[in-house]
């Protein structure tokens, strides 16, 4: 006598397993989209706040004081080489930096670099000991305008989505470079 193989039970079990995997992938996709959407919103809000700056000093204030709150991070430092001088601005104000050291740091970054660290980049100043995840964004302007690095830091280690995050951060850096050009090239009364 022949044996009957329960194809229907196996097929239903297989379909349930595949459906479970699809539902899990869908939930992961929804979570990513929500997080990505939140990041896009934060970056746009940061750029809009910078656009509202009415001077280069106000722009530095927005970047170093308001962006940490807007972006939900712990530290922001902006370092620029202006002519033959190097500067670093953070929540504590503006300090002079050796332009040769700053130039070497700038040359090591191509666009955006995101990473987890045991200690943040020295450009964070005193906050570098607290930083566990950082993004370094190159600020490029045509000479004689300044070039530099925007450093964003977080105390918590993060799993970074390099492809999507770097696109957003590149937009942030290019927007900041455009605003720096604006404030350093137009005559102000």
């Amino acid at each position: 006598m022949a044996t009957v193989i329960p194809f229907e039970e196996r097929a239903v079990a297989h379909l349930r397993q595949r459906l479970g995997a699809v539902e899990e992938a869908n939930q992961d996709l929804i979570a990513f989209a929500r997080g990505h959407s939140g990041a896009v919103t934060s970056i746009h809000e940061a750029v809009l706040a910078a656009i509202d700056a009415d001077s280069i000093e106000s722009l530095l204030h927005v970047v170093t004081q308001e962006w940490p709150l807007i972006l939900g991070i712990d530290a922001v430092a902006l370092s620029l080489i202006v002519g033959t001088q190097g500067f670093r601005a953070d929540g504590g104000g503006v300090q002079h930096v050796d332009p040769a050291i700053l130039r070497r740091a700038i040359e090591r970054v191509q666009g955006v670099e995101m990473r987890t660290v045991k200690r943040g980049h020295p450009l964070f100043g005193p906050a570098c000991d607290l930083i566990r995840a950082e993004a370094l964004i190159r600020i490029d302007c045509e000479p004689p305008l300044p070039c530099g690095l925007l450093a964003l830091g977080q105390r918590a280690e993060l799993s970074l989505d390099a492809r999507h995050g770097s696109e957003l951060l590149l937009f942030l850096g290019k927007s900041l470079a455009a605003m720096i050009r604006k404030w350093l090239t137009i005559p102000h009364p």
Side-chain angles (χ1 to χ4, degrees):
M1 192 141 192
T3 309
V4 177
I5 302 174
F7 286 112
E8 185 177 342
E9 287 177 25
R10 282 188 182 173
V12 169
H14 181 69
L15 287 174
R16 283 188 179 140
Q17 182 182 15
R18 287 185 62 194
L19 180 60
V22 168
E23 286 177 4
E24 185 178 330
N26 190 36
Q27 292 303 317
D28 289 346
L29 184 59
I30 290 170
F32 171 78
R34 285 183 181 147
H36 186 69
S37 174
V40 169
T41 300
S42 296
I43 296 288
H44 287 170
E45 188 177 333
V47 169
L48 290 173
I51 288 172
D52 283 343
D54 59 4
S55 67
I56 191 71
E57 293 80 13
S58 177
L59 178 61
L60 290 176
H61 172 80
V62 167
V63 169
T64 61
Q65 302 290 320
E66 295 179 25
W67 279 12
L69 299 171
I70 293 169
L71 298 173
I73 56 177
D74 297 307
V76 175
L78 174 62
S79 300
L80 296 171
I81 297 174
V82 181
T84 60
Q85 297 188 359
F87 299 94
R88 185 182 73 78
D90 64 10
V94 178
Q95 300 84 32
H96 285 276
V97 177
D98 181 348
I101 292 172
L102 186 51
R103 191 167 306 284
R104 280 193 301 273
I106 294 167
E107 289 170 355
R108 291 183 182 140
V109 176
Q110 299 300 316
V112 174
E113 184 175 316
M114 297 186 319
R115 59 190 178 197
T116 57
V117 294
K118 292 189 189 301
R119 183 175 192 267
H121 197 282
L123 292 176
F124 283 110
C128 70
D129 291 331
L130 304 173
I131 302 301
R132 297 297 172 261
E134 65 185 16
L136 303 175
I137 306 157
R138 190 169 169 150
I139 305 297
D140 287 317
C141 295
E142 293 294 321
L145 294 173
C147 62
L149 280 178
L150 175 64
L152 308 176
Q154 181 77 28
R155 291 176 192 232
E157 288 186 26
L158 301 174
S159 60
L160 301 170
D161 179 356
R163 189 187 60 187
H164 295 290
S166 65
E167 291 171 0
L168 289 170
L169 294 175
L170 194 58
F171 170 75
L172 184 67
K174 286 183 177 186
S175 298
L176 180 57
M179 287 174 258
I180 290 169
R181 281 192 303 274
K182 170 187 155 190
W183 285 110
L184 295 179
T185 57
I186 60 174
H188 301 284

